[in-house]
Amino acid sequence: MSEKSASHLMLDDAIVAYYDELCTMTRQRGHASATANDVVHELYVRLVDRRTSLEGKSSLRAFLRRACANLGIDRLRRDRFELKLFSGSEEEALAVASDIAAPDANIDLRRRLQILKTAIMEMSLQRRRVFLANRIGNLSSDEIAMRTGISRNMVDRHLRKAYLHCLDRLEEVS
């Protein structure tokens, strides 16, 4: 008999032997009876799919209890998440932002980009270089400081002021 077959038979025998105990334990941890059965069934399917070797386990019963408890915790977390996810009202659902941009978004985007370009050009040369190195070049403050010969604190100050300048310009027009 192959190792897969022996392990599979061992799992079958263990699930049959401990099925009621695993279901009871899962119910005691807050699951409804039907859900507890689902958790034990899911445990069996996962162990068979993974072809988990049960040969080296010191206590097959303890292994199954721990695995079932962990799967039960995962199930409770997923149920809570789904409850929260689908608990909102229609008004809340309509307030969620869409991935599809509004028809006039491109017009507004172009206008905002032009405002940002103007705001960037209004900055001092050094602040503009620091800002662009960070935003366009993806350089960290330490890398910018090393390349420009200014302190990291000064780089951070330039970045803060550059962001504030851009935000001020965007708010002025809005």
Side-chain angles (χ1 to χ4, degrees):
M1 188 178 291
S2 71
E3 182 182 329
K4 291 179 189 177
S5 298
S7 185
H8 188 76
L9 289 174
M10 185 185 290
L11 177 61
D12 288 350
D13 291 343
I15 290 292
V16 169
Y18 302 121
Y19 182 82
D20 291 334
E21 179 182 345
L22 293 171
C23 288
T24 302
M25 179 200 71
T26 306
R27 277 192 306 276
Q28 289 172 343
R29 292 174 182 249
H31 290 282
S33 183
T35 306
N37 293 350
D38 287 347
V39 168
V40 176
H41 293 179
E42 185 176 349
L43 172 66
Y44 174 77
V45 169
R46 285 187 179 197
L47 290 174
V48 167
D49 284 349
R50 290 187 184 149
R51 293 180 174 87
T52 303
S53 176
L54 304 175
E55 294 292 328
K57 305 292 182 205
S58 60
S59 171
L60 190 53
R61 179 175 171 256
F63 170 75
L64 290 174
R65 286 179 59 86
R66 172 59 29 215
C68 195
N70 289 339
L71 202 54
I73 291 168
D74 290 346
R75 179 70 176 260
L76 284 173
R77 287 178 182 155
R78 185 176 66 225
D79 289 349
R80 266 192 241 126
F81 173 74
E82 288 175 356
L83 183 66
K84 188 186 302 182
L85 184 65
F86 299 115
S87 68
S89 66
E90 185 176 348
E91 292 82 25
E92 290 173 322
L94 292 173
V96 174
S98 171
D99 289 341
I100 302 170
D104 60 346
N106 273 345
I107 296 169
D108 188 46
L109 181 63
R110 286 188 200 112
R111 183 176 63 85
R112 292 170 61 87
L113 284 174
Q114 186 56 47
I115 293 167
L116 283 174
K117 285 179 186 176
T118 303
I120 291 168
M121 292 311 294
E122 291 171 351
M123 294 179 200
S124 69
L125 181 61
Q126 184 148 21
R127 183 163 298 151
R128 184 170 52 239
R129 284 182 178 161
V130 167
F131 181 73
L132 292 175
N134 178 260
R135 299 306 306 156
I136 307 296
N138 291 322
L139 297 178
S140 68
S141 295
D142 290 329
E143 292 170 317
I144 296 169
M146 213 168 63
R147 290 182 183 197
T148 59
I150 60 176
S151 71
R152 178 167 191 241
N153 286 341
M154 187 55 83
V155 169
D156 290 340
R157 176 183 279 170
H158 279 305
L159 287 173
R160 265 193 314 279
K161 289 189 176 191
Y163 283 120
L164 289 172
H165 179 71
C166 289
L167 285 172
D168 287 344
R169 291 297 180 262
L170 286 169
E171 287 178 358
E172 287 173 4
V173 180
S174 298

